[in-house]
Structure formats: C-alpha cells, structure tokens
Amino acid sequence: MDGDLAQAGAASSDIKKKLRQLGVSSELIRRTAISMYEAEINMVIHAGGGVIDVEILPHDIIIVLEDHGPGIPDVELAMKEGYSTAPHSVREMGFGAGMGLANMKKNSDELLIDSVVGRGTIVTIRLRIREAAS
Ligand SMILES: Nc1ncnc2c1ncn2[C@@H]1O[C@H](COP(=O)(O)OP(=O)(O)OP(=O)(O)O)[C@@H](O)[C@H]1O
Ligand SMILES: [Mg+2]
C-alpha cells in the first residue's frame, strides 16, 4: 500500500468481505474493520504507507501493519484521545481528531505498538473469535 488516501480503507473492506464469508459475527467484523481501518489510515497519513498482513486463525484475527515512517516518539502520549500531529491539509479532509489509536484500543482485544523513531512502526492488532453460543 502506498501513500494514497483514496486507496486507504480498501484492505479493511476486503477483509470484511472475507470474514462475512467465514460466518464471523457482525459485531466482531465491525470491531475488526474499525481497528484495521484506523491503523491503515494512520499508516498512510503519518508514515507514507506500509505493508499489512492479516491472519485469520481458528480463534484469532491477527493484523500486523508495518511501516518505515518516522516512528512514534511517545506511544503513551499518542494513545491519548485528542492527541494528533496531523497537518492542516489532513485535518481539512476530516482526519486528525486524535481518536484513531484510542478507537483501535477500544475495539480490539490486544493492541501492540512497536515503534522506533527514524525507523518505523509495527502495529499488531488481535481480536479473539469467540464460539457462537449454542
Ligand atoms: N504509523 C504511524 N507512524 C507515525 N506516527 C503515527 C502512526 N500512527 C499514529 N501516529 C501518531 O500518533 C498520533 C495519534 O494517532 P491517532 O490515530 O490516535 O490520531 P490521528 O491519526 O492524528 O487522528 P484520527 O485518527 O482521529 O484521524 C498521530 O497524530 C501521529 O502523531
Ligand atoms: Mg489516526
């Protein structure tokens, strides 16, 4: 995926389709799509693009997003609702409320951010697939 905002979100909607075909609950599909979309957009806006890998295991959905952008100097601060370094041009498009990482945290079962300034960022999102009650 390159730095094209028009294309961002395409990967998360592909996964949505696949999960629907697999019979995953709509609630889990919604949480997966939100988490993945926010991470995808961040990679495009803040890091100029990167690579996404999605694994659908019997009990887990694992999404790994790797970029070679500027990295995040203070992850704890970046996680705070309302914190954003998005430039004016990006805010004009409706992004930059500083809610993405908080949304990812809220909607996933596990969020890991491994970031090195000057090197890049690896974001790992895990969602548990629960058995439907019978
Ligand atoms: N992949 C990334 N590479 C570098 N910095 C990032 C990355 N993802 C997030 N950040 C930093 O963390 C901040 C907070 O991210 P978050 O997604 O919460 O908000 P936002 O992207 O600025 O706004 P919103 O997601 O609400 O549109 C960003 O403004 C940016 O400084
Ligand atoms: Mg964001």
Side-chain angles (χ1 to χ4, degrees), residues 38-39 41-47 67 69-73 77-80 82-86 90-91 94-104 115 120-121 123:
E38 292 289 358
I41 294 285
N42 276 356
M43 208 160 67
V44 171
I45 287 178
H46 305 295
D67 69 58
I72 304 174
L77 178 63
M79 292 289 307
K80 292 217 167 89
Y83 178 84
S84 177
T85 60
V90 167
R91 288 172 193 264
F95 301 103
M99 293 303 293
L101 289 171
N103 262 334
M104 286 153 63
S115 192
T121 302
V123 174

PDB file of all heavy atoms in Angstrom, residues 38-39 41-47 67 69-73 77-80 82-86 90-91 94-104 115 120-121 123, ligand 1:
ATOM      1  N   GLU A  38      -8.562   2.276  10.986  1.00  0.00           N
ATOM      2  CA  GLU A  38      -7.821   3.340  11.675  1.00  0.00           C
ATOM      3  C   GLU A  38      -6.307   3.149  11.512  1.00  0.00           C
ATOM      4  O   GLU A  38      -5.577   4.107  11.294  1.00  0.00           O
ATOM      5  CB  GLU A  38      -8.175   3.367  13.170  1.00  0.00           C
ATOM      6  CG  GLU A  38      -9.587   3.807  13.480  1.00  0.00           C
ATOM      7  CD  GLU A  38      -9.855   5.297  13.239  1.00  0.00           C
ATOM      8  OE1 GLU A  38      -8.933   6.035  12.854  1.00  0.00           O
ATOM      9  OE2 GLU A  38     -11.011   5.716  13.439  1.00  0.00           O
ATOM     10  N   ALA A  39      -5.872   1.889  11.618  1.00  0.00           N
ATOM     11  CA  ALA A  39      -4.444   1.604  11.500  1.00  0.00           C
ATOM     12  C   ALA A  39      -3.939   1.850  10.077  1.00  0.00           C
ATOM     13  O   ALA A  39      -2.845   2.384   9.867  1.00  0.00           O
ATOM     14  CB  ALA A  39      -4.171   0.167  11.919  1.00  0.00           C
ATOM     15  N   ILE A  41      -5.290   3.943   7.857  1.00  0.00           N
ATOM     16  CA  ILE A  41      -5.279   5.385   7.614  1.00  0.00           C
ATOM     17  C   ILE A  41      -4.044   6.014   8.274  1.00  0.00           C
ATOM     18  O   ILE A  41      -3.375   6.863   7.673  1.00  0.00           O
ATOM     19  CB  ILE A  41      -6.577   6.043   8.167  1.00  0.00           C
ATOM     20  CG1 ILE A  41      -7.800   5.550   7.393  1.00  0.00           C
ATOM     21  CG2 ILE A  41      -6.491   7.560   8.113  1.00  0.00           C
ATOM     22  CD1 ILE A  41      -7.963   6.129   6.012  1.00  0.00           C
ATOM     23  N   ASN A  42      -3.748   5.592   9.493  1.00  0.00           N
ATOM     24  CA  ASN A  42      -2.567   6.135  10.178  1.00  0.00           C
ATOM     25  C   ASN A  42      -1.299   5.873   9.379  1.00  0.00           C
ATOM     26  O   ASN A  42      -0.442   6.742   9.252  1.00  0.00           O
ATOM     27  CB  ASN A  42      -2.415   5.497  11.562  1.00  0.00           C
ATOM     28  CG  ASN A  42      -3.265   6.182  12.601  1.00  0.00           C
ATOM     29  OD1 ASN A  42      -3.923   7.185  12.320  1.00  0.00           O
ATOM     30  ND2 ASN A  42      -3.272   5.644  13.803  1.00  0.00           N
ATOM     31  N   MET A  43      -1.207   4.660   8.844  1.00  0.00           N
ATOM     32  CA  MET A  43      -0.008   4.301   8.095  1.00  0.00           C
ATOM     33  C   MET A  43       0.153   5.202   6.869  1.00  0.00           C
ATOM     34  O   MET A  43       1.267   5.613   6.528  1.00  0.00           O
ATOM     35  CB  MET A  43      -0.112   2.831   7.682  1.00  0.00           C
ATOM     36  CG  MET A  43       1.202   2.159   7.518  1.00  0.00           C
ATOM     37  SD  MET A  43       1.048   0.359   7.600  1.00  0.00           S
ATOM     38  CE  MET A  43       0.131   0.017   6.131  1.00  0.00           C
ATOM     39  N   VAL A  44      -0.952   5.517   6.220  1.00  0.00           N
ATOM     40  CA  VAL A  44      -0.901   6.372   5.027  1.00  0.00           C
ATOM     41  C   VAL A  44      -0.608   7.827   5.408  1.00  0.00           C
ATOM     42  O   VAL A  44       0.270   8.464   4.838  1.00  0.00           O
ATOM     43  CB  VAL A  44      -2.225   6.276   4.228  1.00  0.00           C
ATOM     44  CG1 VAL A  44      -2.259   7.319   3.119  1.00  0.00           C
ATOM     45  CG2 VAL A  44      -2.384   4.885   3.645  1.00  0.00           C
ATOM     46  N   ILE A  45      -1.341   8.328   6.422  1.00  0.00           N
ATOM     47  CA  ILE A  45      -1.209   9.737   6.784  1.00  0.00           C
ATOM     48  C   ILE A  45       0.124  10.037   7.475  1.00  0.00           C
ATOM     49  O   ILE A  45       0.787  11.018   7.161  1.00  0.00           O
ATOM     50  CB  ILE A  45      -2.372  10.165   7.721  1.00  0.00           C
ATOM     51  CG1 ILE A  45      -3.670  10.268   6.925  1.00  0.00           C
ATOM     52  CG2 ILE A  45      -2.062  11.491   8.411  1.00  0.00           C
ATOM     53  CD1 ILE A  45      -4.881  10.642   7.764  1.00  0.00           C
ATOM     54  N   HIS A  46       0.485   9.184   8.432  1.00  0.00           N
ATOM     55  CA  HIS A  46       1.630   9.511   9.284  1.00  0.00           C
ATOM     56  C   HIS A  46       2.927   8.855   8.840  1.00  0.00           C
ATOM     57  O   HIS A  46       3.992   9.229   9.318  1.00  0.00           O
ATOM     58  CB  HIS A  46       1.337   9.121  10.739  1.00  0.00           C
ATOM     59  CG  HIS A  46       0.080   9.738  11.285  1.00  0.00           C
ATOM     60  ND1 HIS A  46      -0.060  11.098  11.448  1.00  0.00           N
ATOM     61  CD2 HIS A  46      -1.098   9.185  11.681  1.00  0.00           C
ATOM     62  CE1 HIS A  46      -1.276  11.352  11.945  1.00  0.00           C
ATOM     63  NE2 HIS A  46      -1.929  10.213  12.082  1.00  0.00           N
ATOM     64  N   ALA A  47       2.847   7.840   7.976  1.00  0.00           N
ATOM     65  CA  ALA A  47       4.070   7.107   7.644  1.00  0.00           C
ATOM     66  C   ALA A  47       4.277   6.920   6.139  1.00  0.00           C
ATOM     67  O   ALA A  47       5.237   6.270   5.727  1.00  0.00           O
ATOM     68  CB  ALA A  47       4.065   5.753   8.345  1.00  0.00           C
ATOM     69  N   ASP A  67       5.318  -0.166   8.915  1.00  0.00           N
ATOM     70  CA  ASP A  67       5.731   0.943   8.048  1.00  0.00           C
ATOM     71  C   ASP A  67       7.154   1.375   8.352  1.00  0.00           C
ATOM     72  O   ASP A  67       7.736   0.995   9.367  1.00  0.00           O
ATOM     73  CB  ASP A  67       4.743   2.117   8.176  1.00  0.00           C
ATOM     74  CG  ASP A  67       4.795   2.821   9.532  1.00  0.00           C
ATOM     75  OD1 ASP A  67       5.875   3.308   9.915  1.00  0.00           O
ATOM     76  OD2 ASP A  67       3.740   2.885  10.201  1.00  0.00           O
ATOM     77  N   GLY A  69       7.951   4.656   8.378  1.00  0.00           N
ATOM     78  CA  GLY A  69       7.755   6.084   8.575  1.00  0.00           C
ATOM     79  C   GLY A  69       8.622   6.624   9.700  1.00  0.00           C
ATOM     80  O   GLY A  69       9.592   5.985  10.107  1.00  0.00           O
ATOM     81  N   PRO A  70       8.253   7.794  10.240  1.00  0.00           N
ATOM     82  CA  PRO A  70       9.095   8.477  11.235  1.00  0.00           C
ATOM     83  C   PRO A  70       9.099   7.837  12.618  1.00  0.00           C
ATOM     84  O   PRO A  70       9.942   8.169  13.447  1.00  0.00           O
ATOM     85  CB  PRO A  70       8.464   9.872  11.306  1.00  0.00           C
ATOM     86  CG  PRO A  70       7.034   9.660  10.935  1.00  0.00           C
ATOM     87  CD  PRO A  70       7.048   8.563   9.905  1.00  0.00           C
ATOM     88  N   GLY A  71       8.161   6.914  12.857  1.00  0.00           N
ATOM     89  CA  GLY A  71       8.059   6.334  14.192  1.00  0.00           C
ATOM     90  C   GLY A  71       7.281   7.253  15.130  1.00  0.00           C
ATOM     91  O   GLY A  71       6.964   8.389  14.780  1.00  0.00           O
ATOM     92  N   ILE A  72       6.956   6.734  16.307  1.00  0.00           N
ATOM     93  CA  ILE A  72       6.175   7.482  17.294  1.00  0.00           C
ATOM     94  C   ILE A  72       7.058   7.705  18.525  1.00  0.00           C
ATOM     95  O   ILE A  72       7.420   6.753  19.210  1.00  0.00           O
ATOM     96  CB  ILE A  72       4.892   6.701  17.696  1.00  0.00           C
ATOM     97  CG1 ILE A  72       4.058   6.372  16.439  1.00  0.00           C
ATOM     98  CG2 ILE A  72       4.074   7.494  18.702  1.00  0.00           C
ATOM     99  CD1 ILE A  72       2.846   5.478  16.711  1.00  0.00           C
ATOM    100  N   PRO A  73       7.437   8.957  18.795  1.00  0.00           N
ATOM    101  CA  PRO A  73       8.363   9.227  19.899  1.00  0.00           C
ATOM    102  C   PRO A  73       7.800   8.849  21.269  1.00  0.00           C
ATOM    103  O   PRO A  73       8.529   8.354  22.125  1.00  0.00           O
ATOM    104  CB  PRO A  73       8.606  10.741  19.834  1.00  0.00           C
ATOM    105  CG  PRO A  73       8.090  11.185  18.513  1.00  0.00           C
ATOM    106  CD  PRO A  73       7.078  10.178  18.057  1.00  0.00           C
ATOM    107  N   LEU A  77       1.616   8.972  24.898  1.00  0.00           N
ATOM    108  CA  LEU A  77       1.015  10.268  24.551  1.00  0.00           C
ATOM    109  C   LEU A  77       0.159  10.137  23.286  1.00  0.00           C
ATOM    110  O   LEU A  77      -0.958  10.655  23.225  1.00  0.00           O
ATOM    111  CB  LEU A  77       2.125  11.309  24.338  1.00  0.00           C
ATOM    112  CG  LEU A  77       1.704  12.720  23.921  1.00  0.00           C
ATOM    113  CD1 LEU A  77       0.847  13.372  25.005  1.00  0.00           C
ATOM    114  CD2 LEU A  77       2.945  13.572  23.634  1.00  0.00           C
ATOM    115  N   ALA A  78       0.681   9.430  22.298  1.00  0.00           N
ATOM    116  CA  ALA A  78      -0.040   9.252  21.029  1.00  0.00           C
ATOM    117  C   ALA A  78      -1.373   8.534  21.236  1.00  0.00           C
ATOM    118  O   ALA A  78      -2.344   8.783  20.519  1.00  0.00           O
ATOM    119  CB  ALA A  78       0.826   8.472  20.042  1.00  0.00           C
ATOM    120  N   MET A  79      -1.416   7.661  22.248  1.00  0.00           N
ATOM    121  CA  MET A  79      -2.634   6.896  22.548  1.00  0.00           C
ATOM    122  C   MET A  79      -3.748   7.771  23.133  1.00  0.00           C
ATOM    123  O   MET A  79      -4.909   7.388  23.123  1.00  0.00           O
ATOM    124  CB  MET A  79      -2.339   5.797  23.580  1.00  0.00           C
ATOM    125  CG  MET A  79      -1.450   4.665  23.118  1.00  0.00           C
ATOM    126  SD  MET A  79      -2.215   3.565  21.927  1.00  0.00           S
ATOM    127  CE  MET A  79      -3.715   3.135  22.787  1.00  0.00           C
ATOM    128  N   LYS A  80      -3.383   8.914  23.685  1.00  0.00           N
ATOM    129  CA  LYS A  80      -4.379   9.773  24.359  1.00  0.00           C
ATOM    130  C   LYS A  80      -5.393  10.315  23.359  1.00  0.00           C
ATOM    131  O   LYS A  80      -5.027  10.798  22.282  1.00  0.00           O
ATOM    132  CB  LYS A  80      -3.676  10.948  25.052  1.00  0.00           C
ATOM    133  CG  LYS A  80      -2.830  10.507  26.235  1.00  0.00           C
ATOM    134  CD  LYS A  80      -2.902  11.535  27.360  1.00  0.00           C
ATOM    135  CE  LYS A  80      -2.334  10.963  28.646  1.00  0.00           C
ATOM    136  NZ  LYS A  80      -0.881  11.183  28.765  1.00  0.00           N
ATOM    137  N   GLY A  82      -7.517  12.697  21.420  1.00  0.00           N
ATOM    138  CA  GLY A  82      -7.355  14.115  21.083  1.00  0.00           C
ATOM    139  C   GLY A  82      -5.933  14.499  20.721  1.00  0.00           C
ATOM    140  O   GLY A  82      -5.703  15.583  20.187  1.00  0.00           O
ATOM    141  N   TYR A  83      -4.963  13.613  20.974  1.00  0.00           N
ATOM    142  CA  TYR A  83      -3.588  13.928  20.592  1.00  0.00           C
ATOM    143  C   TYR A  83      -3.366  13.604  19.122  1.00  0.00           C
ATOM    144  O   TYR A  83      -3.614  12.483  18.681  1.00  0.00           O
ATOM    145  CB  TYR A  83      -2.560  13.155  21.428  1.00  0.00           C
ATOM    146  CG  TYR A  83      -1.151  13.450  20.991  1.00  0.00           C
ATOM    147  CD1 TYR A  83      -0.468  14.570  21.474  1.00  0.00           C
ATOM    148  CD2 TYR A  83      -0.512  12.637  20.043  1.00  0.00           C
ATOM    149  CE1 TYR A  83       0.813  14.869  21.039  1.00  0.00           C
ATOM    150  CE2 TYR A  83       0.773  12.930  19.603  1.00  0.00           C
ATOM    151  CZ  TYR A  83       1.436  14.046  20.104  1.00  0.00           C
ATOM    152  OH  TYR A  83       2.690  14.330  19.661  1.00  0.00           O
ATOM    153  N   SER A  84      -2.918  14.586  18.367  1.00  0.00           N
ATOM    154  CA  SER A  84      -2.670  14.379  16.941  1.00  0.00           C
ATOM    155  C   SER A  84      -1.585  15.304  16.434  1.00  0.00           C
ATOM    156  O   SER A  84      -1.502  16.458  16.842  1.00  0.00           O
ATOM    157  CB  SER A  84      -3.951  14.650  16.142  1.00  0.00           C
ATOM    158  OG  SER A  84      -3.704  14.507  14.758  1.00  0.00           O
ATOM    159  N   THR A  85      -0.768  14.788  15.535  1.00  0.00           N
ATOM    160  CA  THR A  85       0.228  15.628  14.870  1.00  0.00           C
ATOM    161  C   THR A  85      -0.164  15.837  13.404  1.00  0.00           C
ATOM    162  O   THR A  85       0.649  16.296  12.601  1.00  0.00           O
ATOM    163  CB  THR A  85       1.630  14.980  14.923  1.00  0.00           C
ATOM    164  OG1 THR A  85       1.564  13.717  14.250  1.00  0.00           O
ATOM    165  CG2 THR A  85       2.107  14.786  16.359  1.00  0.00           C
ATOM    166  N   ALA A  86      -1.404  15.485  13.064  1.00  0.00           N
ATOM    167  CA  ALA A  86      -1.840  15.592  11.665  1.00  0.00           C
ATOM    168  C   ALA A  86      -1.753  17.046  11.174  1.00  0.00           C
ATOM    169  O   ALA A  86      -2.193  17.957  11.881  1.00  0.00           O
ATOM    170  CB  ALA A  86      -3.264  15.079  11.524  1.00  0.00           C
ATOM    171  N   VAL A  90      -4.427  17.541   6.209  1.00  0.00           N
ATOM    172  CA  VAL A  90      -5.068  16.271   6.547  1.00  0.00           C
ATOM    173  C   VAL A  90      -6.333  16.525   7.370  1.00  0.00           C
ATOM    174  O   VAL A  90      -7.362  15.872   7.191  1.00  0.00           O
ATOM    175  CB  VAL A  90      -4.069  15.367   7.306  1.00  0.00           C
ATOM    176  CG1 VAL A  90      -4.775  14.184   7.958  1.00  0.00           C
ATOM    177  CG2 VAL A  90      -2.978  14.869   6.358  1.00  0.00           C
ATOM    178  N   ARG A  91      -6.280  17.510   8.249  1.00  0.00           N
ATOM    179  CA  ARG A  91      -7.458  17.860   9.071  1.00  0.00           C
ATOM    180  C   ARG A  91      -8.604  18.348   8.190  1.00  0.00           C
ATOM    181  O   ARG A  91      -9.765  18.091   8.484  1.00  0.00           O
ATOM    182  CB  ARG A  91      -7.097  18.933  10.100  1.00  0.00           C
ATOM    183  CG  ARG A  91      -6.231  18.374  11.215  1.00  0.00           C
ATOM    184  CD  ARG A  91      -5.732  19.489  12.122  1.00  0.00           C
ATOM    185  NE  ARG A  91      -4.674  18.981  12.983  1.00  0.00           N
ATOM    186  CZ  ARG A  91      -4.867  18.553  14.217  1.00  0.00           C
ATOM    187  NH1 ARG A  91      -6.070  18.570  14.739  1.00  0.00           N
ATOM    188  NH2 ARG A  91      -3.862  18.100  14.932  1.00  0.00           N
ATOM    189  N   GLY A  94     -10.888  15.772   7.168  1.00  0.00           N
ATOM    190  CA  GLY A  94     -11.694  15.155   8.219  1.00  0.00           C
ATOM    191  C   GLY A  94     -10.939  14.191   9.111  1.00  0.00           C
ATOM    192  O   GLY A  94     -11.521  13.568   9.991  1.00  0.00           O
ATOM    193  N   PHE A  95      -9.632  14.061   8.918  1.00  0.00           N
ATOM    194  CA  PHE A  95      -8.831  13.209   9.795  1.00  0.00           C
ATOM    195  C   PHE A  95      -8.101  14.109  10.796  1.00  0.00           C
ATOM    196  O   PHE A  95      -8.078  15.325  10.633  1.00  0.00           O
ATOM    197  CB  PHE A  95      -7.809  12.407   8.975  1.00  0.00           C
ATOM    198  CG  PHE A  95      -8.433  11.533   7.929  1.00  0.00           C
ATOM    199  CD1 PHE A  95      -8.423  11.908   6.594  1.00  0.00           C
ATOM    200  CD2 PHE A  95      -9.043  10.334   8.281  1.00  0.00           C
ATOM    201  CE1 PHE A  95      -9.007  11.101   5.614  1.00  0.00           C
ATOM    202  CE2 PHE A  95      -9.627   9.526   7.315  1.00  0.00           C
ATOM    203  CZ  PHE A  95      -9.606   9.908   5.981  1.00  0.00           C
ATOM    204  N   GLY A  96      -7.529  13.480  11.813  1.00  0.00           N
ATOM    205  CA  GLY A  96      -6.705  14.247  12.741  1.00  0.00           C
ATOM    206  C   GLY A  96      -7.401  14.659  14.020  1.00  0.00           C
ATOM    207  O   GLY A  96      -6.990  15.602  14.691  1.00  0.00           O
ATOM    208  N   ALA A  97      -8.471  13.934  14.379  1.00  0.00           N
ATOM    209  CA  ALA A  97      -9.140  14.203  15.660  1.00  0.00           C
ATOM    210  C   ALA A  97      -8.356  13.595  16.823  1.00  0.00           C
ATOM    211  O   ALA A  97      -8.639  13.870  17.978  1.00  0.00           O
ATOM    212  CB  ALA A  97     -10.565  13.661  15.633  1.00  0.00           C
ATOM    213  N   GLY A  98      -7.388  12.759  16.488  1.00  0.00           N
ATOM    214  CA  GLY A  98      -6.613  12.114  17.547  1.00  0.00           C
ATOM    215  C   GLY A  98      -7.375  11.001  18.236  1.00  0.00           C
ATOM    216  O   GLY A  98      -7.154  10.698  19.406  1.00  0.00           O
ATOM    217  N   MET A  99      -8.257  10.366  17.499  1.00  0.00           N
ATOM    218  CA  MET A  99      -9.102   9.325  18.082  1.00  0.00           C
ATOM    219  C   MET A  99      -8.769   7.918  17.574  1.00  0.00           C
ATOM    220  O   MET A  99      -9.292   6.930  18.101  1.00  0.00           O
ATOM    221  CB  MET A  99     -10.584   9.613  17.776  1.00  0.00           C
ATOM    222  CG  MET A  99     -11.125  10.863  18.462  1.00  0.00           C
ATOM    223  SD  MET A  99     -10.937  10.823  20.252  1.00  0.00           S
ATOM    224  CE  MET A  99     -12.074   9.491  20.647  1.00  0.00           C
ATOM    225  N   GLY A 100      -7.924   7.823  16.553  1.00  0.00           N
ATOM    226  CA  GLY A 100      -7.688   6.538  15.897  1.00  0.00           C
ATOM    227  C   GLY A 100      -7.118   5.467  16.813  1.00  0.00           C
ATOM    228  O   GLY A 100      -7.665   4.364  16.900  1.00  0.00           O
ATOM    229  N   LEU A 101      -6.028   5.779  17.504  1.00  0.00           N
ATOM    230  CA  LEU A 101      -5.384   4.774  18.354  1.00  0.00           C
ATOM    231  C   LEU A 101      -6.309   4.385  19.517  1.00  0.00           C
ATOM    232  O   LEU A 101      -6.401   3.214  19.872  1.00  0.00           O
ATOM    233  CB  LEU A 101      -4.034   5.288  18.877  1.00  0.00           C
ATOM    234  CG  LEU A 101      -2.917   5.391  17.825  1.00  0.00           C
ATOM    235  CD1 LEU A 101      -1.703   6.111  18.410  1.00  0.00           C
ATOM    236  CD2 LEU A 101      -2.496   4.006  17.342  1.00  0.00           C
ATOM    237  N   ALA A 102      -6.998   5.363  20.081  1.00  0.00           N
ATOM    238  CA  ALA A 102      -7.940   5.074  21.169  1.00  0.00           C
ATOM    239  C   ALA A 102      -9.059   4.156  20.668  1.00  0.00           C
ATOM    240  O   ALA A 102      -9.465   3.215  21.366  1.00  0.00           O
ATOM    241  CB  ALA A 102      -8.515   6.373  21.721  1.00  0.00           C
ATOM    242  N   ASN A 103      -9.527   4.399  19.462  1.00  0.00           N
ATOM    243  CA  ASN A 103     -10.553   3.548  18.855  1.00  0.00           C
ATOM    244  C   ASN A 103     -10.050   2.134  18.616  1.00  0.00           C
ATOM    245  O   ASN A 103     -10.791   1.163  18.780  1.00  0.00           O
ATOM    246  CB  ASN A 103     -10.969   4.124  17.499  1.00  0.00           C
ATOM    247  CG  ASN A 103     -12.237   4.922  17.608  1.00  0.00           C
ATOM    248  OD1 ASN A 103     -13.046   4.675  18.500  1.00  0.00           O
ATOM    249  ND2 ASN A 103     -12.414   5.873  16.703  1.00  0.00           N
ATOM    250  N   MET A 104      -8.788   2.030  18.178  1.00  0.00           N
ATOM    251  CA  MET A 104      -8.193   0.709  17.936  1.00  0.00           C
ATOM    252  C   MET A 104      -8.105  -0.066  19.247  1.00  0.00           C
ATOM    253  O   MET A 104      -8.385  -1.258  19.307  1.00  0.00           O
ATOM    254  CB  MET A 104      -6.801   0.861  17.309  1.00  0.00           C
ATOM    255  CG  MET A 104      -6.867   1.277  15.847  1.00  0.00           C
ATOM    256  SD  MET A 104      -5.400   2.185  15.311  1.00  0.00           S
ATOM    257  CE  MET A 104      -4.141   0.948  15.518  1.00  0.00           C
ATOM    258  N   SER A 115       7.464   0.822  18.053  1.00  0.00           N
ATOM    259  CA  SER A 115       7.866   1.926  17.192  1.00  0.00           C
ATOM    260  C   SER A 115       9.255   2.414  17.543  1.00  0.00           C
ATOM    261  O   SER A 115       9.605   2.531  18.713  1.00  0.00           O
ATOM    262  CB  SER A 115       6.856   3.078  17.353  1.00  0.00           C
ATOM    263  OG  SER A 115       7.056   4.034  16.357  1.00  0.00           O
ATOM    264  N   GLY A 120      10.536   3.313  12.037  1.00  0.00           N
ATOM    265  CA  GLY A 120       9.180   2.938  11.656  1.00  0.00           C
ATOM    266  C   GLY A 120       8.394   2.324  12.789  1.00  0.00           C
ATOM    267  O   GLY A 120       8.833   2.316  13.938  1.00  0.00           O
ATOM    268  N   THR A 121       7.242   1.808  12.403  1.00  0.00           N
ATOM    269  CA  THR A 121       6.279   1.347  13.403  1.00  0.00           C
ATOM    270  C   THR A 121       5.676   0.016  12.983  1.00  0.00           C
ATOM    271  O   THR A 121       5.372  -0.188  11.804  1.00  0.00           O
ATOM    272  CB  THR A 121       5.141   2.399  13.553  1.00  0.00           C
ATOM    273  OG1 THR A 121       5.731   3.648  13.932  1.00  0.00           O
ATOM    274  CG2 THR A 121       4.107   1.982  14.579  1.00  0.00           C
ATOM    275  N   VAL A 123       2.426  -2.171  14.125  1.00  0.00           N
ATOM    276  CA  VAL A 123       1.207  -2.209  14.929  1.00  0.00           C
ATOM    277  C   VAL A 123       0.615  -3.609  14.801  1.00  0.00           C
ATOM    278  O   VAL A 123       0.423  -4.106  13.695  1.00  0.00           O
ATOM    279  CB  VAL A 123       0.176  -1.165  14.432  1.00  0.00           C
ATOM    280  CG1 VAL A 123      -1.152  -1.298  15.169  1.00  0.00           C
ATOM    281  CG2 VAL A 123       0.736   0.254  14.593  1.00  0.00           C
TER     282      VAL A 123
HETATM  283  N1  LIG B   1       2.045   4.677  11.815  1.00  0.00           N
HETATM  284  C1  LIG B   1       2.366   5.824  12.435  1.00  0.00           C
HETATM  285  N2  LIG B   1       3.577   6.407  12.213  1.00  0.00           N
HETATM  286  C2  LIG B   1       3.929   7.554  12.846  1.00  0.00           C
HETATM  287  N3  LIG B   1       3.130   8.212  13.716  1.00  0.00           N
HETATM  288  C3  LIG B   1       1.916   7.685  13.975  1.00  0.00           C
HETATM  289  C4  LIG B   1       1.462   6.482  13.356  1.00  0.00           C
HETATM  290  N4  LIG B   1       0.228   6.197  13.826  1.00  0.00           N
HETATM  291  C5  LIG B   1      -0.073   7.181  14.690  1.00  0.00           C
HETATM  292  N5  LIG B   1       0.934   8.087  14.803  1.00  0.00           N
HETATM  293  C6  LIG B   1       0.996   9.265  15.690  1.00  0.00           C
HETATM  294  O1  LIG B   1       0.034   9.128  16.723  1.00  0.00           O
HETATM  295  C7  LIG B   1      -0.869  10.230  16.690  1.00  0.00           C
HETATM  296  C8  LIG B   1      -2.247   9.780  17.153  1.00  0.00           C
HETATM  297  O2  LIG B   1      -2.800   8.856  16.205  1.00  0.00           O
HETATM  298  P1  LIG B   1      -4.382   8.703  16.122  1.00  0.00           P
HETATM  299  O3  LIG B   1      -4.727   7.725  15.084  1.00  0.00           O
HETATM  300  O4  LIG B   1      -4.904   8.460  17.509  1.00  0.00           O
HETATM  301  O5  LIG B   1      -4.873  10.181  15.711  1.00  0.00           O
HETATM  302  P2  LIG B   1      -4.779  10.884  14.274  1.00  0.00           P
HETATM  303  O6  LIG B   1      -4.427   9.902  13.234  1.00  0.00           O
HETATM  304  O7  LIG B   1      -3.874  12.047  14.421  1.00  0.00           O
HETATM  305  O8  LIG B   1      -6.286  11.388  14.091  1.00  0.00           O
HETATM  306  P3  LIG B   1      -7.577  10.458  13.719  1.00  0.00           P
HETATM  307  O9  LIG B   1      -7.125   9.042  13.796  1.00  0.00           O
HETATM  308  O10 LIG B   1      -8.590  10.772  14.769  1.00  0.00           O
HETATM  309  O11 LIG B   1      -7.971  10.874  12.350  1.00  0.00           O
HETATM  310  C9  LIG B   1      -0.812  10.747  15.278  1.00  0.00           C
HETATM  311  O12 LIG B   1      -1.246  12.101  15.154  1.00  0.00           O
HETATM  312  C10 LIG B   1       0.675  10.581  14.966  1.00  0.00           C
HETATM  313  O13 LIG B   1       1.434  11.589  15.587  1.00  0.00           O
END
